[in-house]
Amino acid sequence: MDTSLDDWTGWVGREETLRARIDAAPVAALAATLDLEGAPTEGQPLPPGWHWLFFNPVARQSALGDDGHPRRAANSFLPPINLPRRMWAGSRIRYLASLQVGAEAERSSRILRITPKEGKSGPMCFVTVAHSVASGGRTCIEEEQDIVYRAATPLAPASGGSTIPERAVTPAPLLAPWKRTVNPDAVLLFRYSALTFNGHRIHYDLPYAQVEEGYRGLVVHGPLAATLLQGFAASLRPGLSLAAFEFRGMQPLFAGQPFTLCADEAGKGALALHAVAPDGRVAVEAFARFAPQS
């Protein structure tokens, strides 16, 4: 496939606007999924990362591809890049005002850039989308999201071992002063997929994840790990609000394999955060900044 930038320049600048009510029911369901004792109720601020419950595409069953994602089409918002694997690679988020449970909101999105690259496993293409979430006449959240498209990997061996090419192991922050263990299981992943209307089969269909996409197990959602990291960061800065958060996926995390959330001081009250797999791989790296509560 020719992945030159000229193929997709017509999509740069493309825009869409989606509207949603920040309904209390999925908020309560996510709180239960994350095993929290209480959930924000109407009129209270939505916790950081929980806006990903809303504004998700709704496609008819007949419009889905083999991977469970909406089938790519020339009239879709995202470009129909002809690389079969699609993942959320990371985001950079600014929290400007509280988005309240029960409020009416809208998300305006625009494609900022499309960047083809050649990776170790073949051609890749990064699509960066800017999202702005507004409610009550004010902008509450600004986010830049990176989506990566990549070539298919060979079929997994009969043993189910991963064929996904992994980066060199990044040393884990073993001396981080704050740590929390997360035990992801298939039910957690299934519930998060349902709440975010995410049909990607790598999160709940083990034979598909292993045989078709080459993973060793069910894959923990990148935004789920990022949501857990944001909640962890917020718990370490009581009395402050999360003002900015960025994360980048480095390696996959898998169901049935506990991982560790780590946090360390990063100067001026900021936190450097990591999600670390059992074998010491840094799977997600993140950074959080805070501001006084308004």
Side-chain angles (χ1 to χ4, degrees):
M1 173 198 171
D2 179 6
T3 57
S4 66
L5 188 59
D6 290 344
D7 289 341
W8 309 113
T9 51
W11 264 263
V12 175
R14 183 169 289 207
E15 299 179 343
E16 75 169 5
T17 299
L18 300 174
R19 294 173 177 81
R21 185 178 189 274
I22 310 304
D23 193 77
V27 172
L30 181 58
T33 297
L34 300 182
D35 205 27
L36 302 177
E37 290 187 1
T41 57
E42 293 213 3
Q44 294 183 323
L46 193 69
W50 291 34
H51 63 287
W52 292 326
L53 288 172
F54 305 95
F55 312 107
N56 295 309
V58 176
R60 292 177 58 185
Q61 192 73 9
S62 59
L64 299 180
D66 291 340
D67 60 0
H69 280 307
R71 192 177 296 112
R72 296 158 203 182
N75 62 350
S76 62
F77 170 64
L78 291 172
I81 294 171
N82 190 25
L83 290 170
R85 304 295 181 243
R86 184 173 75 196
M87 296 289 290
W88 187 336
S91 285
R92 295 159 297 284
I93 311 165
R94 295 174 63 213
Y95 294 105
L96 305 174
S98 64
L99 181 60
Q100 295 185 345
V101 178
E104 299 292 334
E106 71 174 29
R107 187 186 74 179
S108 301
S109 303
R110 180 168 59 91
I111 296 178
L112 291 182
R113 54 188 172 271
I114 301 175
T115 311
K117 294 185 177 181
E118 190 69 28
K120 291 183 179 180
S121 59
M124 306 170 67
C125 193
F126 288 83
V127 178
T128 300
V129 183
H131 300 296
S132 178
V133 179
S135 179
R138 62 181 179 176
T139 301
C140 300
I141 302 169
E142 291 181 344
E143 176 179 1
E144 285 190 7
Q145 177 188 0
D146 296 322
I147 303 165
V148 61
Y149 298 76
R150 59 177 178 80
T153 55
L155 295 181
S159 64
S162 177
T163 63
I164 298 297
E166 297 185 348
R167 305 178 188 180
V169 173
T170 302
L174 298 177
L175 299 180
W178 297 289
K179 297 181 181 180
R180 178 183 295 171
T181 300
V182 177
N183 294 289
D185 61 13
V187 177
L188 171 64
L189 272 56
F190 177 83
R191 296 176 86 181
Y192 190 78
S193 287
L195 284 169
T196 55
F197 209 63
N198 183 349
H200 197 183
R201 292 166 64 183
I202 64 171
H203 303 303
Y204 59 87
D205 185 339
L206 183 59
Y208 174 87
Q210 290 180 331
V211 176
E212 295 298 328
E213 297 213 18
Y215 291 103
R216 69 169 65 100
L218 295 176
V219 179
V220 176
H221 311 67
L224 173 56
T227 297
L228 292 168
L229 283 167
Q230 288 177 83
F232 183 45
S235 72
L236 299 175
R237 292 290 189 261
L240 298 177
S241 295
L242 189 62
F245 180 82
E246 58 184 80
F247 79 95
R248 182 167 67 113
M250 306 289 289
Q251 305 279 355
L253 295 163
F254 298 104
Q257 299 183 15
F259 61 91
T260 305
L261 307 180
C262 300
D264 201 350
E265 299 285 356
K268 298 182 179 180
L271 291 173
L273 301 131
H274 300 84
V276 180
D279 62 2
R281 294 177 300 111
V282 171
V284 182
E285 60 179 16
F287 181 82
R289 288 192 295 106
F290 300 85
Q293 292 182 346
S294 55

